[in-house]
Every structure is written in structure tokens, then in C-alpha cells.
């Protein structure tokens, strides 16, 4: 079996789970939680999804690193025409920091905000999710377009 094909398939699967989940939470769960005035709904879904995405994000990173190594893509990370490679790595790094550093450090503080000012907490979470979804969509568009020569010189 071709190891690059296997890594690419695992990479895409991990990203579909990760970004698809982000999209579902942003476009379905958060508006529903806001309409119902139930931040608890968001917290339940987010807790369950967060546990899953703590697996898919590392898989996406490891498979991406494997492909960069095997295909010797390192020069692409500094080539402006291949901006999407750096965007993928940057987006991945942002999520790694959020999932494994920021969330654990600020969990108790955010829980206090939820209790004291739930509307403010929901607005903050919604704004953050929309920003992350916009970055993810731009990155996905750039990656698929870049791989298929859309940005070739």
C-alpha cells in the first residue's frame, strides 16, 4: 500500500471530522442554544465533541507532517504561491493551542463567566467559532485549490 495515499486519506478523514464538527457547532448548535436561551446545550455538545476532536486534530497534524516529510514539501511553506501549506499548519497550530493549552487553562474562568453572564459568554463563544470557521473555510479552499494548481504561477 502506498503510504502517502494512506496518510492523505487519514488526513482528509481527520479534517472532515474536525472542521465538519466546527461547522455543525457554529451553524447548528450555537444558534439553537441562543434561540432556546440554553447555553447548557452548547456546553454538552462541545464537551462531547471536544473529546473527539482531541484525537482528530493530532491525527491531522501527524499525517500532514508525514506527507510534508515524505513528499519533501518544506520549500512550499515559504513559497508565496503555496501559502495554503502555511495556512494549514497555522490553523492546525491555533487549534492545538486552543484544545490543549487555552481551554484547560481557562475552563474554570469561563465556567464563572457562564454562571455570571450567560448571554455574554454565548456571544463570545459564537464570535470565536465564526472566526475559526471562516479561517478553516479559507484554508480548506486554499488547500484544495492549491493542490489542484489554482494558485500556480
Amino acid at each position: 500500500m502506498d503510504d502517502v495515499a494512506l496518510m492523505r486519506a487519514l488526513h482528509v478523514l481527520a479534517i472532515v471530522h474536525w472542521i465538519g464538527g466546527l461547522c455543525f457547532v457554529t451553524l447548528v448548535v450555537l444558534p439553537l442554544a441562543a434561540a432556546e436561551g440554553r447555553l447548557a446545550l452548547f456546553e454538552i455538545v462541545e464537551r462531547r465533541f471536544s473529546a473527539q476532536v482531541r484525537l482528530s486534530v493530532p491525527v491531522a497534524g501527524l499525517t500532514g507532517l508525514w506527507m510534508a516529510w515524505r513528499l519533501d514539501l518544506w520549500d512550499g511553506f515559504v513559497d508565496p504561491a503555496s501559502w495554503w501549506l502555511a495556512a494549514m499548519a497555522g490553523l492546525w497550530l491555533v487549534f492545538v493551542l486552543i484544545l490543549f493549552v487555552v481551554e484547560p487553562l481557562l475552563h474554570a474562568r469561563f465556567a464563572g463567566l457562564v454562571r455570571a453572564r450567560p448571554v455574554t459568554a454565548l456571544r463570545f463563544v459564537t464570535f470565536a467559532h465564526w472566526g475559526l470557521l471562516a479561517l478553516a473555510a479559507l484554508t480548506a479552499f486554499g488547500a484544495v485549490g492549491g493542490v489542484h494548481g489554482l494558485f500556480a504561477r
Side-chain angles (χ1 to χ4, degrees), residues 77-100:
F77 285 94
V78 294
D79 180 4
S82 297
W83 63 268
W84 48 274
L85 277 171
M88 284 192 300
L91 182 69
W92 178 82
L93 184 59
V94 166
F95 273 86
V96 165
L97 290 173
I98 289 170
L99 290 168
F100 297 104

Side-chain angles (χ1 to χ4, degrees), residues 3-109:
D3 63 318
V4 174
L6 176 62
M7 290 301 122
R8 184 174 291 130
L10 289 172
H11 190 72
V12 170
L13 182 62
I15 290 169
V16 165
H17 177 263
W18 159 28
I19 303 302
L22 171 66
C23 191
F24 178 74
V25 168
T26 304
L27 300 177
V28 176
V29 176
L30 283 169
L32 184 60
E36 298 292 320
R38 294 181 37 198
L39 190 58
L41 172 67
F42 164 75
E43 290 177 309
I44 291 166
V45 172
E46 186 75 5
R47 189 177 317 115
R48 186 170 175 95
F49 179 64
S50 183
Q52 295 173 25
V53 83
R54 278 182 167 72
L55 294 174
S56 59
V57 168
V59 168
L62 290 171
T63 55
L65 183 62
W66 179 269
M67 289 186 293
W69 170 72
R70 268 298 259 117
L71 299 172
D72 195 25
L73 299 174
W74 306 114
D75 290 343
F77 285 94
V78 294
D79 180 4
S82 297
W83 63 268
W84 48 274
L85 277 171
M88 284 192 300
L91 182 69
W92 178 82
L93 184 59
V94 166
F95 273 86
V96 165
L97 290 173
I98 289 170
L99 290 168
F100 297 104
V101 178
V102 175
E103 276 186 2
L105 286 176
L106 297 181
H107 181 72
R109 183 177 249 174

